[in-house]
Amino acid sequence: MSDTGQIVVEGEVQAGPRRMVLNMGPQHPSTHGVLRLMLELDGETVVKCAPDIGFLHTGIEKEFEVKTYQQGVTLTDRVDYLAPLSNNLGYCLAAEKLLGLEIPPQAQWMRVMLTELTRLNSHLVWLGTHALDIGAMSVFLYCFREREDILRIFEMFSGQRMMTSYFRIGGLALEPPRGWYARVRKFMDVFPSRIDEYENLLTNNPIWIGRTQGVGFISLEDMLDLGVTGPMLRAAGLKIDARKSEPYSSYEKFDFEVPTSERNDVFGRYQVRVEEMRQSTRIIRQAMDGMPAGPWKADAPHVVLPDREKMKTQMEALIYHFKIVTEGFRVPEGEVYQVVESPRGELGFYMVSDGTTHPYRVHMRTPSFGNLQATGKMAEGTLIADVIASIGSMDFVLGDTDR
Amino acid sequence: MLPDNLREYAVAVAVEAFDAEAVKGGKYDRNELTLEIAPGKIASVCGFLKFDQAFVRLSTVTAVDRYPAEPRFEVVYHLHSVEHNARVRLKCLVRGEDPVIESVTGVWRGANWYEREVFDLFGIQFIGHPDLRRIMLPDDWEGHPLRKDYPITGSRV
């Protein structure tokens, strides 16, 4: 609001003789959170679209500065709440890069497996809600059925359904409980057929095709210029994936494809994400079958909490435990930028250390923020009903955007 | 001046050949290349990197507050070349009193929101930005929360 009480609208969005301004959101079911779009309309055609963000800004980047490195992991969950483990991983990898820690293979493989489960979780929410926006109610119910299974799997190892905070700097929090692998395997046995089920409902469905094909086009040049990453770029034919180009956490040891599409529309993005789910299933199977033996945590007593048993018998373990819990651990001076491929695209952690126990600065380059910037360009000249399909196909999370 | 130990990196050498006065320093640490650029030259260096060196993507723009040191702010740019699968970090030092720097929105339109965010949370002005307003916080917010002298707790009276 301006001083005069008028709503300030961005840039050139204003009403005119034939034009009306429509305020969509921040409380709108199809904006998936608190996104506000200012639409300048000529009839049903969008002339200009100006997204307005910041409603969910929680100052997480500031909060990192007053937490110890380990405490920071819990904050990353709350940024992109549909892909908590991807965020955990990016943060831990950045801190580990600063520390120069070597993570044991079993922990690395476990991390890969869990981030891929997270990708499934996130894509299922996307598919369900995206289809719901366009009017395919039943897909939503099917997707959330499988998502429930994944959340139970998460709950089993971390005690939490969404805010898992399971990764630690230097490894994992705990060993997964007994029966966990069997549970994942059981899920993995049925899941591929479930993907076929979603495809049966949508891929050849004339309504779905009508609503998605040829809708939401934006050129590859515009996307690169505006900072779009992830499945959006892959649906425009650009084979870009940090898991392949800048492999982290042993991704180079896994055999999987990076699906692309040349369609560059809402349907193409749908195809890419569905294929990504299949590839994630492949990765999870490989991780389960080839899980190396070994420790869960790095051999770094000044960073990783000691085992409970050791604390009872070894003085050093007790001292380290006391130091880590009360003060945290010191991280050598420096700065790193660590990229992971989150379900939405490039998730980057820029971490600056001044040699103390708290990060000096943590900046999250979140994929939703970059992707959302292209909304205006994508919506211009399209029908207002297609705006819903377009923004659904971007798959953003507002917590991820506003931080 | 480009430090001698960076002469083996083609990007660093290319930037120096493009504009020797623009490069103030740099380092190679933990497999990441950082170049320190003079604040007045950042837009032209970015343009060179984008159009001549294929750094087509601007990953992010952010800042670090080194309070109470002077120059106080570091404005940090992360560039990504899809073609060469390479990243480079550019850094500009900006004074604490009335901080200003050139905008790179003319090079990447995507810099728009990132610079607005830095303006909002650090109070750094971007010259030539088409629409420099707060993005995260309400328009009537006082202060810039990511500055180190901004209080972490307490309430406004």
Side-chain angles (χ1 to χ4, degrees), chain A residues 53 62 97-98 222 225 245-246 335 337 346 360-361 363 365 373, chain B residues 30 32 57 59-60 62-63 65 85 87 91 109 135 145 147-148:
Chain A
I53 61 165
K62 181 78 172 174
K97 203 169 175 184
L98 278 170
D222 279 336
D225 201 30
S245 60
E246 297 152 272
E335 55 189 335
Y337 183 68
E346 177 186 316
Y360 190 77
R361 168 102 175 91
H363 171 69
R365 187 264 176 230
Q373 216 175 163
Chain B
R30 296 175 171 93
E32 292 179 20
R57 282 195 57 238
S59 262
T60 176
T62 186
D65 183 5
N85 189 20
R87 289 180 190 272
K91 199 179 253 190
R109 277 171 290 158
I135 186 166
R147 289 188 172 190
K148 287 283 177 185

PDB file of all heavy atoms in Angstrom, chain A residues 53 62 97-98 222 225 245-246 335 337 346 360-361 363 365 373, chain B residues 30 32 57 59-60 62-63 65 85 87 91 109 135 145 147-148:
ATOM      1  N   ILE A  53       5.919 -11.254  -4.631  1.00  0.00           N
ATOM      2  CA  ILE A  53       6.280 -12.292  -3.674  1.00  0.00           C
ATOM      3  C   ILE A  53       6.683 -11.663  -2.342  1.00  0.00           C
ATOM      4  O   ILE A  53       6.666 -10.446  -2.196  1.00  0.00           O
ATOM      5  CB  ILE A  53       7.426 -13.181  -4.209  1.00  0.00           C
ATOM      6  CG1 ILE A  53       8.673 -12.350  -4.468  1.00  0.00           C
ATOM      7  CG2 ILE A  53       7.001 -13.899  -5.463  1.00  0.00           C
ATOM      8  CD1 ILE A  53       9.917 -13.163  -4.644  1.00  0.00           C
ATOM      9  N   LYS A  62      19.052 -14.786   7.706  1.00  0.00           N
ATOM     10  CA  LYS A  62      19.562 -14.088   8.886  1.00  0.00           C
ATOM     11  C   LYS A  62      19.714 -15.066  10.047  1.00  0.00           C
ATOM     12  O   LYS A  62      20.662 -14.993  10.825  1.00  0.00           O
ATOM     13  CB  LYS A  62      18.594 -12.956   9.251  1.00  0.00           C
ATOM     14  CG  LYS A  62      18.992 -12.119  10.445  1.00  0.00           C
ATOM     15  CD  LYS A  62      20.062 -11.126  10.087  1.00  0.00           C
ATOM     16  CE  LYS A  62      20.333 -10.152  11.220  1.00  0.00           C
ATOM     17  NZ  LYS A  62      21.478  -9.285  10.902  1.00  0.00           N
ATOM     18  N   LYS A  97      32.287 -29.162   2.427  1.00  0.00           N
ATOM     19  CA  LYS A  97      33.296 -28.655   1.502  1.00  0.00           C
ATOM     20  C   LYS A  97      34.207 -27.658   2.216  1.00  0.00           C
ATOM     21  O   LYS A  97      35.421 -27.660   2.023  1.00  0.00           O
ATOM     22  CB  LYS A  97      32.592 -27.979   0.327  1.00  0.00           C
ATOM     23  CG  LYS A  97      33.410 -27.880  -0.937  1.00  0.00           C
ATOM     24  CD  LYS A  97      32.494 -27.439  -2.072  1.00  0.00           C
ATOM     25  CE  LYS A  97      33.227 -27.200  -3.351  1.00  0.00           C
ATOM     26  NZ  LYS A  97      32.324 -26.680  -4.392  1.00  0.00           N
ATOM     27  N   LEU A  98      33.613 -26.826   3.063  1.00  0.00           N
ATOM     28  CA  LEU A  98      34.424 -25.889   3.839  1.00  0.00           C
ATOM     29  C   LEU A  98      35.341 -26.627   4.804  1.00  0.00           C
ATOM     30  O   LEU A  98      36.492 -26.260   5.006  1.00  0.00           O
ATOM     31  CB  LEU A  98      33.524 -24.931   4.627  1.00  0.00           C
ATOM     32  CG  LEU A  98      32.951 -23.717   3.894  1.00  0.00           C
ATOM     33  CD1 LEU A  98      31.898 -23.050   4.757  1.00  0.00           C
ATOM     34  CD2 LEU A  98      34.031 -22.723   3.543  1.00  0.00           C
ATOM     35  N   ASP A 222      14.970 -17.010 -23.303  1.00  0.00           N
ATOM     36  CA  ASP A 222      14.345 -16.231 -22.233  1.00  0.00           C
ATOM     37  C   ASP A 222      14.529 -16.917 -20.891  1.00  0.00           C
ATOM     38  O   ASP A 222      14.800 -16.272 -19.882  1.00  0.00           O
ATOM     39  CB  ASP A 222      12.848 -16.063 -22.517  1.00  0.00           C
ATOM     40  CG  ASP A 222      12.580 -14.936 -23.499  1.00  0.00           C
ATOM     41  OD1 ASP A 222      13.435 -14.040 -23.593  1.00  0.00           O
ATOM     42  OD2 ASP A 222      11.546 -14.968 -24.179  1.00  0.00           O
ATOM     43  N   ASP A 225      18.014 -16.528 -19.608  1.00  0.00           N
ATOM     44  CA  ASP A 225      18.235 -15.136 -19.250  1.00  0.00           C
ATOM     45  C   ASP A 225      17.553 -14.799 -17.925  1.00  0.00           C
ATOM     46  O   ASP A 225      18.067 -14.021 -17.126  1.00  0.00           O
ATOM     47  CB  ASP A 225      17.683 -14.257 -20.377  1.00  0.00           C
ATOM     48  CG  ASP A 225      18.283 -12.882 -20.359  1.00  0.00           C
ATOM     49  OD1 ASP A 225      19.433 -12.756 -19.921  1.00  0.00           O
ATOM     50  OD2 ASP A 225      17.604 -11.928 -20.779  1.00  0.00           O
ATOM     51  N   SER A 245      26.325 -33.113 -14.423  1.00  0.00           N
ATOM     52  CA  SER A 245      27.398 -32.197 -14.815  1.00  0.00           C
ATOM     53  C   SER A 245      28.337 -31.878 -13.655  1.00  0.00           C
ATOM     54  O   SER A 245      29.525 -31.691 -13.857  1.00  0.00           O
ATOM     55  CB  SER A 245      26.809 -30.913 -15.388  1.00  0.00           C
ATOM     56  OG  SER A 245      26.003 -30.266 -14.444  1.00  0.00           O
ATOM     57  N   GLU A 246      27.803 -31.768 -12.438  1.00  0.00           N
ATOM     58  CA  GLU A 246      28.655 -31.513 -11.277  1.00  0.00           C
ATOM     59  C   GLU A 246      28.303 -32.524 -10.192  1.00  0.00           C
ATOM     60  O   GLU A 246      27.715 -32.171  -9.180  1.00  0.00           O
ATOM     61  CB  GLU A 246      28.424 -30.091 -10.753  1.00  0.00           C
ATOM     62  CG  GLU A 246      28.786 -29.024 -11.742  1.00  0.00           C
ATOM     63  CD  GLU A 246      27.981 -27.760 -11.530  1.00  0.00           C
ATOM     64  OE1 GLU A 246      26.890 -27.654 -12.090  1.00  0.00           O
ATOM     65  OE2 GLU A 246      28.440 -26.899 -10.788  1.00  0.00           O
ATOM     66  N   GLU A 335      34.903 -19.535   1.554  1.00  0.00           N
ATOM     67  CA  GLU A 335      33.560 -19.429   0.989  1.00  0.00           C
ATOM     68  C   GLU A 335      33.389 -20.496  -0.084  1.00  0.00           C
ATOM     69  O   GLU A 335      34.336 -20.817  -0.803  1.00  0.00           O
ATOM     70  CB  GLU A 335      33.326 -18.039   0.404  1.00  0.00           C
ATOM     71  CG  GLU A 335      34.362 -17.636  -0.622  1.00  0.00           C
ATOM     72  CD  GLU A 335      34.249 -16.189  -1.048  1.00  0.00           C
ATOM     73  OE1 GLU A 335      33.167 -15.629  -0.942  1.00  0.00           O
ATOM     74  OE2 GLU A 335      35.258 -15.647  -1.501  1.00  0.00           O
ATOM     75  N   TYR A 337      30.352 -22.333  -2.943  1.00  0.00           N
ATOM     76  CA  TYR A 337      29.029 -22.349  -3.563  1.00  0.00           C
ATOM     77  C   TYR A 337      28.760 -23.791  -3.973  1.00  0.00           C
ATOM     78  O   TYR A 337      29.441 -24.321  -4.837  1.00  0.00           O
ATOM     79  CB  TYR A 337      28.984 -21.415  -4.773  1.00  0.00           C
ATOM     80  CG  TYR A 337      27.627 -21.326  -5.407  1.00  0.00           C
ATOM     81  CD1 TYR A 337      26.576 -20.716  -4.741  1.00  0.00           C
ATOM     82  CD2 TYR A 337      27.380 -21.855  -6.665  1.00  0.00           C
ATOM     83  CE1 TYR A 337      25.319 -20.637  -5.313  1.00  0.00           C
ATOM     84  CE2 TYR A 337      26.130 -21.782  -7.240  1.00  0.00           C
ATOM     85  CZ  TYR A 337      25.105 -21.162  -6.562  1.00  0.00           C
ATOM     86  OH  TYR A 337      23.858 -21.100  -7.136  1.00  0.00           O
ATOM     87  N   GLU A 346      18.132 -25.847  -9.891  1.00  0.00           N
ATOM     88  CA  GLU A 346      19.419 -25.639  -9.237  1.00  0.00           C
ATOM     89  C   GLU A 346      19.228 -25.033  -7.854  1.00  0.00           C
ATOM     90  O   GLU A 346      18.737 -23.926  -7.715  1.00  0.00           O
ATOM     91  CB  GLU A 346      20.287 -24.699 -10.086  1.00  0.00           C
ATOM     92  CG  GLU A 346      21.611 -24.386  -9.413  1.00  0.00           C
ATOM     93  CD  GLU A 346      22.428 -23.336 -10.162  1.00  0.00           C
ATOM     94  OE1 GLU A 346      22.513 -23.415 -11.384  1.00  0.00           O
ATOM     95  OE2 GLU A 346      22.974 -22.452  -9.493  1.00  0.00           O
ATOM     96  N   TYR A 360      29.120 -17.250   8.764  1.00  0.00           N
ATOM     97  CA  TYR A 360      29.104 -15.785   8.676  1.00  0.00           C
ATOM     98  C   TYR A 360      27.950 -15.331   7.795  1.00  0.00           C
ATOM     99  O   TYR A 360      27.301 -14.337   8.061  1.00  0.00           O
ATOM    100  CB  TYR A 360      30.437 -15.275   8.126  1.00  0.00           C
ATOM    101  CG  TYR A 360      30.573 -13.773   8.234  1.00  0.00           C
ATOM    102  CD1 TYR A 360      30.865 -13.186   9.458  1.00  0.00           C
ATOM    103  CD2 TYR A 360      30.383 -12.953   7.133  1.00  0.00           C
ATOM    104  CE1 TYR A 360      30.964 -11.818   9.580  1.00  0.00           C
ATOM    105  CE2 TYR A 360      30.487 -11.573   7.253  1.00  0.00           C
ATOM    106  CZ  TYR A 360      30.781 -11.015   8.475  1.00  0.00           C
ATOM    107  OH  TYR A 360      30.868  -9.661   8.604  1.00  0.00           O
ATOM    108  N   ARG A 361      27.714 -16.090   6.748  1.00  0.00           N
ATOM    109  CA  ARG A 361      26.616 -15.761   5.840  1.00  0.00           C
ATOM    110  C   ARG A 361      26.254 -17.032   5.087  1.00  0.00           C
ATOM    111  O   ARG A 361      27.135 -17.757   4.629  1.00  0.00           O
ATOM    112  CB  ARG A 361      27.079 -14.687   4.850  1.00  0.00           C
ATOM    113  CG  ARG A 361      26.165 -14.442   3.681  1.00  0.00           C
ATOM    114  CD  ARG A 361      25.341 -13.183   3.872  1.00  0.00           C
ATOM    115  NE  ARG A 361      24.551 -12.886   2.689  1.00  0.00           N
ATOM    116  CZ  ARG A 361      23.297 -13.319   2.499  1.00  0.00           C
ATOM    117  NH1 ARG A 361      22.696 -14.032   3.414  1.00  0.00           N
ATOM    118  NH2 ARG A 361      22.648 -13.002   1.401  1.00  0.00           N
ATOM    119  N   HIS A 363      23.713 -17.930   1.914  1.00  0.00           N
ATOM    120  CA  HIS A 363      22.725 -17.494   0.929  1.00  0.00           C
ATOM    121  C   HIS A 363      22.224 -18.721   0.198  1.00  0.00           C
ATOM    122  O   HIS A 363      23.000 -19.563  -0.214  1.00  0.00           O
ATOM    123  CB  HIS A 363      23.333 -16.514  -0.062  1.00  0.00           C
ATOM    124  CG  HIS A 363      22.438 -16.196  -1.225  1.00  0.00           C
ATOM    125  ND1 HIS A 363      21.282 -15.475  -1.080  1.00  0.00           N
ATOM    126  CD2 HIS A 363      22.505 -16.523  -2.533  1.00  0.00           C
ATOM    127  CE1 HIS A 363      20.681 -15.374  -2.259  1.00  0.00           C
ATOM    128  NE2 HIS A 363      21.399 -16.005  -3.155  1.00  0.00           N
ATOM    129  N   ARG A 365      20.468 -20.035  -3.046  1.00  0.00           N
ATOM    130  CA  ARG A 365      19.984 -19.755  -4.393  1.00  0.00           C
ATOM    131  C   ARG A 365      18.893 -20.793  -4.654  1.00  0.00           C
ATOM    132  O   ARG A 365      19.165 -21.938  -4.969  1.00  0.00           O
ATOM    133  CB  ARG A 365      21.123 -19.883  -5.399  1.00  0.00           C
ATOM    134  CG  ARG A 365      20.779 -19.456  -6.789  1.00  0.00           C
ATOM    135  CD  ARG A 365      20.367 -20.594  -7.678  1.00  0.00           C
ATOM    136  NE  ARG A 365      19.965 -20.062  -8.966  1.00  0.00           N
ATOM    137  CZ  ARG A 365      18.829 -20.379  -9.561  1.00  0.00           C
ATOM    138  NH1 ARG A 365      18.008 -21.221  -9.029  1.00  0.00           N
ATOM    139  NH2 ARG A 365      18.523 -19.847 -10.712  1.00  0.00           N
ATOM    140  N   GLN A 373      10.460 -15.944 -11.644  1.00  0.00           N
ATOM    141  CA  GLN A 373      10.709 -14.684 -12.339  1.00  0.00           C
ATOM    142  C   GLN A 373      10.250 -14.751 -13.793  1.00  0.00           C
ATOM    143  O   GLN A 373      10.010 -13.734 -14.413  1.00  0.00           O
ATOM    144  CB  GLN A 373      12.204 -14.361 -12.265  1.00  0.00           C
ATOM    145  CG  GLN A 373      12.448 -12.906 -12.132  1.00  0.00           C
ATOM    146  CD  GLN A 373      13.889 -12.535 -11.924  1.00  0.00           C
ATOM    147  OE1 GLN A 373      14.209 -11.405 -12.106  1.00  0.00           O
ATOM    148  NE2 GLN A 373      14.755 -13.430 -11.558  1.00  0.00           N
TER     149      GLN A 373
ATOM    150  N   ARG B  30      39.287 -24.175  -2.924  1.00  0.00           N
ATOM    151  CA  ARG B  30      38.325 -25.278  -2.882  1.00  0.00           C
ATOM    152  C   ARG B  30      37.657 -25.491  -4.243  1.00  0.00           C
ATOM    153  O   ARG B  30      36.424 -25.610  -4.358  1.00  0.00           O
ATOM    154  CB  ARG B  30      37.271 -25.032  -1.809  1.00  0.00           C
ATOM    155  CG  ARG B  30      37.839 -25.007  -0.398  1.00  0.00           C
ATOM    156  CD  ARG B  30      36.761 -24.628   0.599  1.00  0.00           C
ATOM    157  NE  ARG B  30      37.191 -24.786   1.968  1.00  0.00           N
ATOM    158  CZ  ARG B  30      37.731 -23.806   2.706  1.00  0.00           C
ATOM    159  NH1 ARG B  30      37.918 -22.619   2.191  1.00  0.00           N
ATOM    160  NH2 ARG B  30      38.074 -24.029   3.955  1.00  0.00           N
ATOM    161  N   GLU B  32      37.079 -23.465  -6.581  1.00  0.00           N
ATOM    162  CA  GLU B  32      36.191 -22.412  -7.052  1.00  0.00           C
ATOM    163  C   GLU B  32      37.007 -21.164  -7.357  1.00  0.00           C
ATOM    164  O   GLU B  32      37.849 -20.755  -6.570  1.00  0.00           O
ATOM    165  CB  GLU B  32      35.123 -22.110  -5.997  1.00  0.00           C
ATOM    166  CG  GLU B  32      34.159 -23.262  -5.823  1.00  0.00           C
ATOM    167  CD  GLU B  32      33.113 -22.999  -4.761  1.00  0.00           C
ATOM    168  OE1 GLU B  32      32.876 -21.831  -4.426  1.00  0.00           O
ATOM    169  OE2 GLU B  32      32.556 -23.978  -4.261  1.00  0.00           O
ATOM    170  N   ARG B  57      24.313 -18.112 -17.895  1.00  0.00           N
ATOM    171  CA  ARG B  57      23.419 -18.090 -16.742  1.00  0.00           C
ATOM    172  C   ARG B  57      24.014 -17.264 -15.611  1.00  0.00           C
ATOM    173  O   ARG B  57      25.185 -17.395 -15.279  1.00  0.00           O
ATOM    174  CB  ARG B  57      23.171 -19.508 -16.232  1.00  0.00           C
ATOM    175  CG  ARG B  57      22.175 -20.288 -17.068  1.00  0.00           C
ATOM    176  CD  ARG B  57      21.728 -21.510 -16.301  1.00  0.00           C
ATOM    177  NE  ARG B  57      21.173 -21.099 -15.036  1.00  0.00           N
ATOM    178  CZ  ARG B  57      21.619 -21.497 -13.853  1.00  0.00           C
ATOM    179  NH1 ARG B  57      22.592 -22.344 -13.765  1.00  0.00           N
ATOM    180  NH2 ARG B  57      21.068 -21.055 -12.764  1.00  0.00           N
ATOM    181  N   SER B  59      23.564 -17.325 -11.906  1.00  0.00           N
ATOM    182  CA  SER B  59      22.928 -18.171 -10.894  1.00  0.00           C
ATOM    183  C   SER B  59      22.302 -17.325  -9.798  1.00  0.00           C
ATOM    184  O   SER B  59      21.158 -17.533  -9.424  1.00  0.00           O
ATOM    185  CB  SER B  59      23.958 -19.105 -10.261  1.00  0.00           C
ATOM    186  OG  SER B  59      23.906 -20.365 -10.844  1.00  0.00           O
ATOM    187  N   THR B  60      23.086 -16.427  -9.261  1.00  0.00           N
ATOM    188  CA  THR B  60      22.544 -15.619  -8.171  1.00  0.00           C
ATOM    189  C   THR B  60      23.380 -14.361  -7.958  1.00  0.00           C
ATOM    190  O   THR B  60      24.542 -14.321  -8.322  1.00  0.00           O
ATOM    191  CB  THR B  60      22.479 -16.451  -6.870  1.00  0.00           C
ATOM    192  OG1 THR B  60      22.042 -15.611  -5.813  1.00  0.00           O
ATOM    193  CG2 THR B  60      23.807 -17.041  -6.508  1.00  0.00           C
ATOM    194  N   THR B  62      24.163 -11.880  -4.638  1.00  0.00           N
ATOM    195  CA  THR B  62      23.905 -11.683  -3.216  1.00  0.00           C
ATOM    196  C   THR B  62      24.986 -10.780  -2.651  1.00  0.00           C
ATOM    197  O   THR B  62      25.803 -10.245  -3.390  1.00  0.00           O
ATOM    198  CB  THR B  62      23.825 -13.035  -2.474  1.00  0.00           C
ATOM    199  OG1 THR B  62      23.438 -12.791  -1.136  1.00  0.00           O
ATOM    200  CG2 THR B  62      25.148 -13.754  -2.499  1.00  0.00           C
ATOM    201  N   ALA B  63      24.970 -10.583  -1.356  1.00  0.00           N
ATOM    202  CA  ALA B  63      25.954  -9.692  -0.748  1.00  0.00           C
ATOM    203  C   ALA B  63      26.379 -10.257   0.596  1.00  0.00           C
ATOM    204  O   ALA B  63      25.707 -11.107   1.174  1.00  0.00           O
ATOM    205  CB  ALA B  63      25.370  -8.297  -0.574  1.00  0.00           C
ATOM    206  N   ASP B  65      27.975  -8.710   4.312  1.00  0.00           N
ATOM    207  CA  ASP B  65      28.268  -7.501   5.068  1.00  0.00           C
ATOM    208  C   ASP B  65      29.485  -7.767   5.943  1.00  0.00           C
ATOM    209  O   ASP B  65      29.447  -8.654   6.799  1.00  0.00           O
ATOM    210  CB  ASP B  65      27.048  -7.146   5.929  1.00  0.00           C
ATOM    211  CG  ASP B  65      27.270  -5.851   6.692  1.00  0.00           C
ATOM    212  OD1 ASP B  65      28.312  -5.213   6.480  1.00  0.00           O
ATOM    213  OD2 ASP B  65      26.376  -5.479   7.477  1.00  0.00           O
ATOM    214  N   ASN B  85      30.400 -26.124 -18.761  1.00  0.00           N
ATOM    215  CA  ASN B  85      30.190 -26.708 -17.429  1.00  0.00           C
ATOM    216  C   ASN B  85      31.148 -26.073 -16.407  1.00  0.00           C
ATOM    217  O   ASN B  85      31.896 -26.749 -15.715  1.00  0.00           O
ATOM    218  CB  ASN B  85      30.386 -28.225 -17.474  1.00  0.00           C
ATOM    219  CG  ASN B  85      29.972 -28.885 -16.180  1.00  0.00           C
ATOM    220  OD1 ASN B  85      29.211 -28.304 -15.407  1.00  0.00           O
ATOM    221  ND2 ASN B  85      30.480 -30.081 -15.933  1.00  0.00           N
ATOM    222  N   ARG B  87      31.850 -22.655 -13.554  1.00  0.00           N
ATOM    223  CA  ARG B  87      31.269 -21.582 -12.744  1.00  0.00           C
ATOM    224  C   ARG B  87      32.359 -20.604 -12.374  1.00  0.00           C
ATOM    225  O   ARG B  87      33.522 -20.983 -12.232  1.00  0.00           O
ATOM    226  CB  ARG B  87      30.647 -22.145 -11.461  1.00  0.00           C
ATOM    227  CG  ARG B  87      29.395 -22.931 -11.710  1.00  0.00           C
ATOM    228  CD  ARG B  87      28.791 -23.467 -10.437  1.00  0.00           C
ATOM    229  NE  ARG B  87      27.736 -24.402 -10.759  1.00  0.00           N
ATOM    230  CZ  ARG B  87      26.472 -24.039 -10.967  1.00  0.00           C
ATOM    231  NH1 ARG B  87      26.110 -22.782 -10.847  1.00  0.00           N
ATOM    232  NH2 ARG B  87      25.562 -24.936 -11.279  1.00  0.00           N
ATOM    233  N   LYS B  91      33.185 -10.715  -7.545  1.00  0.00           N
ATOM    234  CA  LYS B  91      32.972 -10.059  -6.271  1.00  0.00           C
ATOM    235  C   LYS B  91      33.340  -8.593  -6.413  1.00  0.00           C
ATOM    236  O   LYS B  91      34.363  -8.263  -7.010  1.00  0.00           O
ATOM    237  CB  LYS B  91      33.891 -10.732  -5.250  1.00  0.00           C
ATOM    238  CG  LYS B  91      33.513 -10.517  -3.835  1.00  0.00           C
ATOM    239  CD  LYS B  91      34.477 -11.257  -2.956  1.00  0.00           C
ATOM    240  CE  LYS B  91      33.848 -12.481  -2.356  1.00  0.00           C
ATOM    241  NZ  LYS B  91      34.711 -13.059  -1.334  1.00  0.00           N
ATOM    242  N   ARG B 109      18.191 -10.229 -17.706  1.00  0.00           N
ATOM    243  CA  ARG B 109      16.961  -9.704 -17.108  1.00  0.00           C
ATOM    244  C   ARG B 109      16.694 -10.376 -15.764  1.00  0.00           C
ATOM    245  O   ARG B 109      16.054  -9.832 -14.893  1.00  0.00           O
ATOM    246  CB  ARG B 109      15.777  -9.963 -18.051  1.00  0.00           C
ATOM    247  CG  ARG B 109      15.645  -8.925 -19.133  1.00  0.00           C
ATOM    248  CD  ARG B 109      14.609  -9.361 -20.123  1.00  0.00           C
ATOM    249  NE  ARG B 109      15.075 -10.496 -20.899  1.00  0.00           N
ATOM    250  CZ  ARG B 109      14.279 -11.352 -21.543  1.00  0.00           C
ATOM    251  NH1 ARG B 109      12.982 -11.202 -21.498  1.00  0.00           N
ATOM    252  NH2 ARG B 109      14.792 -12.355 -22.230  1.00  0.00           N
ATOM    253  N   ILE B 135      11.422  -6.279  -2.170  1.00  0.00           N
ATOM    254  CA  ILE B 135      10.761  -7.456  -2.754  1.00  0.00           C
ATOM    255  C   ILE B 135      10.255  -8.399  -1.673  1.00  0.00           C
ATOM    256  O   ILE B 135       9.168  -8.947  -1.790  1.00  0.00           O
ATOM    257  CB  ILE B 135      11.713  -8.162  -3.751  1.00  0.00           C
ATOM    258  CG1 ILE B 135      11.007  -9.297  -4.472  1.00  0.00           C
ATOM    259  CG2 ILE B 135      12.982  -8.659  -3.072  1.00  0.00           C
ATOM    260  CD1 ILE B 135      11.747  -9.801  -5.674  1.00  0.00           C
ATOM    261  N   PRO B 145      17.551  -5.980   7.057  1.00  0.00           N
ATOM    262  CA  PRO B 145      17.789  -7.029   8.057  1.00  0.00           C
ATOM    263  C   PRO B 145      19.082  -7.817   7.913  1.00  0.00           C
ATOM    264  O   PRO B 145      19.594  -8.304   8.911  1.00  0.00           O
ATOM    265  CB  PRO B 145      16.596  -7.958   7.896  1.00  0.00           C
ATOM    266  CG  PRO B 145      15.566  -7.155   7.236  1.00  0.00           C
ATOM    267  CD  PRO B 145      16.262  -6.148   6.393  1.00  0.00           C
ATOM    268  N   ARG B 147      21.973  -6.781   7.225  1.00  0.00           N
ATOM    269  CA  ARG B 147      23.165  -6.067   7.678  1.00  0.00           C
ATOM    270  C   ARG B 147      23.542  -6.568   9.067  1.00  0.00           C
ATOM    271  O   ARG B 147      22.675  -6.927   9.861  1.00  0.00           O
ATOM    272  CB  ARG B 147      22.885  -4.568   7.746  1.00  0.00           C
ATOM    273  CG  ARG B 147      22.760  -3.941   6.379  1.00  0.00           C
ATOM    274  CD  ARG B 147      22.680  -2.436   6.497  1.00  0.00           C
ATOM    275  NE  ARG B 147      22.739  -1.832   5.180  1.00  0.00           N
ATOM    276  CZ  ARG B 147      22.888  -0.519   4.987  1.00  0.00           C
ATOM    277  NH1 ARG B 147      22.978   0.296   6.007  1.00  0.00           N
ATOM    278  NH2 ARG B 147      22.936  -0.045   3.762  1.00  0.00           N
ATOM    279  N   LYS B 148      24.828  -6.565   9.336  1.00  0.00           N
ATOM    280  CA  LYS B 148      25.276  -7.140  10.599  1.00  0.00           C
ATOM    281  C   LYS B 148      24.905  -6.263  11.797  1.00  0.00           C
ATOM    282  O   LYS B 148      24.877  -6.744  12.923  1.00  0.00           O
ATOM    283  CB  LYS B 148      26.795  -7.343  10.562  1.00  0.00           C
ATOM    284  CG  LYS B 148      27.217  -8.493   9.661  1.00  0.00           C
ATOM    285  CD  LYS B 148      26.977  -9.841  10.298  1.00  0.00           C
ATOM    286  CE  LYS B 148      27.352 -10.955   9.331  1.00  0.00           C
ATOM    287  NZ  LYS B 148      27.033 -12.283   9.846  1.00  0.00           N
TER     288      LYS B 148
END
